[in-house]
């Protein structure tokens, strides 16, 4: 059996854990909203139509922020359609996902849902078919106390107090030819600068996210970030990154190394942002909002509509069923985000319910956890304090460690070897001797095992064991596995 060492030093701090790393994403796409988080008439639904079983799972998942309402959806969205009396809201065609949008769920419902879930809202604004005036209107509607037409409209709609949304995304994936209103980097940089300036005139303390590249495969990747930031560097706080990893070709070994791409993505964007800062002789550091990331079988058809049902309401779209291997890859992506915690200050797992999601529902029926639910929930629950800088232990084993500053070190580790188990020895050195351990492992003899409505607990985490010797902890990582190790020190 291969043996691997991970050395941890208390003085090697990579960054602090920003709780916004554990965000997620709700878009008006498929069944994420309708029969996902919102289903009036469901046995668990409250008076507002929010599914109680989903809210319970969202809280267990440990989500901290929710990006809304898109995604591609936002680039032709008129936010005014989704506020006010339900009977007055217009039904629209959503060209982004070739669906019918009833607008039954909109801004006020989303804010009420966030309050019920205990999460922070993160709003995206339409820069595809609209501009700065509409963004300022939405900002005033959400954040102004009262005494104006828009803020009083919110109050009349039932929200007396302003929502106080702090983080705003200036559009979505504007480099993509699939996007309504696709722009060149020069066009987007100028539009984002104008929008950011207008929004800061309302509130200079807002946190604003400029669109970065939609992925490392984009032909303008790198150049997009440079040009956009040359325009709006002074007015934004974040630049976004989006990445999805597709196992559809059946090459398990390639797929298990997906986090290598995410690591290069982050390193490249940080380098470009810092070059722009240097060219301006600025000490400001642009952070990364990795506000779309996940495993996604992108080669599957996006619009598998039955004949004669061209514009359905909340169709079953992108409802990937996740495997143990998918969960291990998701865990490795979380490790990469933690390793870059000095610059990745926010992230959004896309999406939350039904659509490439850790939570699945049946209309009128149960909700259940996918395999990917577990590494996210446990990392959110256990990661805190500072991220300790660690070198990658080996070709097949990757890990990140956090320290609460007192007595708890938590190590998150993956074995990306499809064939063999690995022994991982964690050397805590100057941090002191170990007095207790708690090991949780997610694995299965079949890396393609899944959870379904009929077998919702087929794959669940299990307790593992550790051998302790002084300041060293050794665990066994089965082939294709993810683990969390909590170490209590003297």
């Amino acid at each position: 059996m291969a043996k691997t060492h991970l050395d941890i030093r208390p003085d090697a701090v990579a960054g602090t854990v920003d709780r916004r790393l554990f965000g997620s994403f709700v878009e008006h796409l498929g069944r994420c909203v309708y029969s996902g988080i919102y289903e009036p008439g469901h046995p668990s639904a409250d008076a507002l139509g929010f599914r109680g079983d989903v809210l319970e799972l969202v809280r267990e998942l440990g989500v901290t922020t929710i990006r809304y309402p898109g995604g591609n959806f936002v680039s032709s969205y008129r936010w005014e359609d989704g506020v006010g009396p339900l009977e007055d809201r217009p039904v629209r065609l959503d060209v982004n996902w070739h669906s019918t949008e009833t607008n039954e769920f909109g801004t006020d419902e989303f804010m009420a849902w966030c309050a019920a879930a205990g999460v922070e809202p993160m709003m995206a604004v339409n820069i595809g078919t609209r501009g700065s005036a509409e963004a300022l209107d939405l900002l005033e509607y959400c954040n102004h106390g009262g005494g104006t037409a828009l803020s009083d409209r919110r109050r009349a709609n039932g929200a007396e107090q302003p929502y106080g949304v702090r983080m705003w995304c200036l559009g979505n994936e504007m480099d993509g030819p699939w996007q309504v209103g696709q722009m060149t980097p020069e066009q987007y940089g100028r539009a984002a600068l104008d929008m950011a300036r207008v929004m800061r005139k309302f509130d200079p303390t807002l946190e604003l996210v400029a669109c970065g590249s939609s992925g490392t495969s984009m032909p303008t990747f790198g150049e997009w970030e440079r040009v956009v930031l040359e325009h709006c560097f002074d007015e934004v706080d974040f630049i976004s990154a989006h990445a999805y990893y597709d196992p559809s070709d059946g090459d398990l070994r390639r797929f298990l190394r997906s986090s290598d791409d995410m690591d290069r993505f982050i390193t490249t964007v940080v380098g470009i942002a810092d070059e722009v800062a240097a060219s301006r002789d600025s000490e400001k550091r642009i952070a990364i909002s990795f506000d779309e990331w996940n495993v996604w079988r992108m080669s599957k058809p996006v619009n598998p509509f039955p004949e004669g049902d061209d514009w359905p309401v909340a169709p079953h779209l992108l409802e990937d069923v996740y495997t143990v291997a998918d969960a291990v890859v998701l865990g490795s992506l979380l490790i990469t985000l933690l390793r870059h915690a000095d610059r990745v200050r926010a992230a959004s797992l896309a999406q939350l319910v039904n659509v490439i999601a850790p939570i699945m529902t049946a209309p009128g029926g149960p909700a259940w956890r996918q395999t990917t639910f577990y590494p996210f929930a446990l990392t959110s629950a256990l990661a805190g304090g500072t991220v300790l800088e660690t070198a990658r232990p080996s070709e097949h084993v990757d890990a990140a460690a956090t320290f609460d500053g007192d007595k708890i070190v938590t190590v998150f580790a993956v074995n990306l070897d499809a064939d063999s188990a690995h022994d991982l020895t964690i050397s805590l050195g100057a941090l002191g001797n170990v007095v207790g351990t708690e090991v949780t492992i997610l694995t299965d003899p079949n890396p393609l095992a899944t959870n379904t409505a009929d077998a919702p607990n087929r794959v669940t985490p299990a307790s593992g064991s550790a051998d302790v010797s002084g300041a060293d902890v050794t665990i066994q990582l089965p082939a294709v596995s993810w683990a969390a190790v909590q170490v209590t020190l003297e």
Side-chain angles (χ1 to χ4, degrees):
M1 183 179 297
K3 298 184 182 298
T4 302
H5 282 79
L6 177 69
D7 292 318
I8 296 176
R9 304 196 327 268
D11 59 333
V13 176
T16 58
V17 179
D18 192 315
R19 293 298 302 160
R20 291 184 297 186
L21 283 177
F22 305 108
S24 190
F25 179 29
V26 166
E27 180 174 2
H28 286 249
L29 159 58
R31 297 193 308 115
C32 187
V33 173
Y34 303 110
S35 79
I37 66 175
Y38 176 79
E39 188 179 349
H42 187 273
S44 73
D46 63 15
L48 296 175
F50 304 154
R51 283 186 60 149
D53 55 352
V54 172
L55 279 169
E56 184 176 340
L57 288 176
V58 169
R59 296 184 193 108
E60 181 186 340
L61 186 63
V63 168
T64 56
T65 65
I66 297 290
R67 180 170 173 251
Y68 175 86
N72 295 350
F73 177 81
V74 78
S75 291
S76 58
Y77 181 52
R78 287 169 274 198
W79 68 267
E80 304 93 332
D81 290 348
V83 299
L86 293 182
E87 62 271 18
D88 295 338
R89 298 185 189 182
V91 174
R92 302 280 190 190
L93 296 181
D94 171 31
V95 297
N96 302 280
W97 299 110
H98 205 80
S99 305
T100 296
E101 173 55 53
T102 67
N103 285 303
E104 185 178 349
F105 187 100
T107 299
D108 294 313
E109 287 79 17
F110 172 67
M111 296 299 178
W113 184 88
C114 285
V119 301
E120 176 187 348
M122 175 181 175
M123 293 293 286
V125 293
N126 179 355
I127 204 171
T129 60
R130 310 188 92 180
S132 299
E134 291 84 1
L136 185 59
D137 284 350
L138 178 59
L139 177 58
E140 183 179 325
Y141 181 89
C142 288
N143 283 13
H144 193 60
T148 65
L150 288 166
S151 59
D152 285 346
R153 185 178 178 187
R154 182 201 69 243
R155 295 169 68 191
N157 289 336
E160 179 68 25
Q161 298 302 316
Y163 296 126
V165 181
R166 305 309 310 157
M167 200 166 183
W168 295 79
C169 303
L170 309 180
N172 175 77
E173 293 185 353
M174 299 311 299
D175 59 337
W178 57 84
Q179 199 71 211
V180 173
Q182 180 195 15
M183 298 177 179
T184 67
E186 291 82 4
Q187 290 170 331
Y188 175 74
R190 289 193 295 269
L193 173 62
D194 180 69
M195 186 174 284
R197 282 176 172 167
V198 168
M199 295 178 77
R200 289 208 184 280
K201 286 179 181 295
F202 177 91
D203 182 352
T205 70
L206 297 175
E207 296 179 272
L208 303 180
V209 185
C211 288
S213 293
S214 302
T216 56
S217 64
M218 296 300 293
T220 56
F221 172 57
E223 180 68 3
W224 176 277
E225 280 77 7
R226 182 187 65 79
V227 173
V228 167
L229 287 176
E230 284 177 349
H231 282 284
C232 61
F233 180 92
D234 293 328
E235 298 294 343
V236 300
D237 307 285
F238 295 82
I239 191 160
S240 71
H242 292 180
Y244 295 100
Y245 298 99
D246 189 346
S248 297
D249 65 2
D251 186 343
L252 180 60
R253 288 168 178 79
R254 176 206 60 78
F255 174 58
L256 289 169
R257 298 302 299 264
S258 294
S259 61
D260 292 349
D261 175 81
M262 178 182 271
D263 186 78
R264 287 191 297 269
F265 197 162
I266 295 168
T267 300
T268 301
V269 173
V270 166
I272 293 167
D274 288 352
E275 286 179 6
V276 175
S279 72
R280 307 166 84 91
D281 195 24
S282 173
E283 296 183 358
K284 177 180 177 179
R285 292 296 175 260
I286 296 291
I288 292 176
S289 175
F290 220 117
D291 50 41
E292 286 190 35
W293 68 276
N294 205 345
V295 173
W296 178 7
R297 287 159 178 78
M298 298 181 72
S299 57
K300 293 173 64 177
V302 173
N303 293 318
F305 300 142
E307 186 176 352
D309 191 12
D310 287 341
W311 297 92
V313 175
H316 290 254
L317 292 180
L318 313 183
E319 297 192 10
D320 285 12
V321 177
Y322 286 121
T323 67
V324 169
D326 296 332
V328 170
V329 168
L330 186 140
S332 73
L333 296 171
L334 280 166
I335 286 170
T336 301
L337 293 173
L338 283 172
R339 185 181 296 120
H340 290 282
D342 59 328
R343 298 299 287 273
V344 182
R345 308 302 300 171
S348 303
L349 178 69
Q351 293 186 14
L352 184 64
V353 185
N354 289 326
V355 176
I356 53 171
I359 299 170
M360 295 296 294
T361 71
W368 63 97
R369 305 165 189 83
Q370 293 232 60
T371 59
T372 53
F373 183 99
Y374 297 107
F376 188 100
L378 287 164
T379 305
S380 177
L382 300 177
T386 59
V387 179
L388 300 179
E389 193 172 283
T390 55
R392 182 166 185 154
S394 72
E395 177 186 359
H396 293 295
V397 176
D398 200 4
T402 64
F403 181 43
D404 72 350
D406 185 17
K407 294 183 177 180
I408 303 293
V409 174
T410 305
V411 175
F412 305 95
V414 286
N415 179 7
L416 305 176
D417 192 330
D419 302 310
S420 302
H422 287 248
D423 276 345
L424 173 64
T425 297
I426 304 163
S427 297
L428 293 142
L431 281 166
N433 289 333
V434 176
V435 296
T437 61
E438 185 173 344
V439 181
T440 305
I441 294 179
L442 185 71
T443 190
D444 194 275
N446 177 10
L448 301 182
T450 63
N451 291 340
T452 64
D454 294 331
N457 299 312
R458 166 67 178 81
V459 177
T460 57
S463 296
S465 60
D467 293 327
V468 178
S469 177
D472 290 350
V473 175
T474 300
I475 64 167
Q476 185 179 107
L477 293 170
V480 191
S481 64
W482 173 91
V485 185
Q486 272 193 296
V487 180
T488 304
L489 305 169
E490 283 184 323

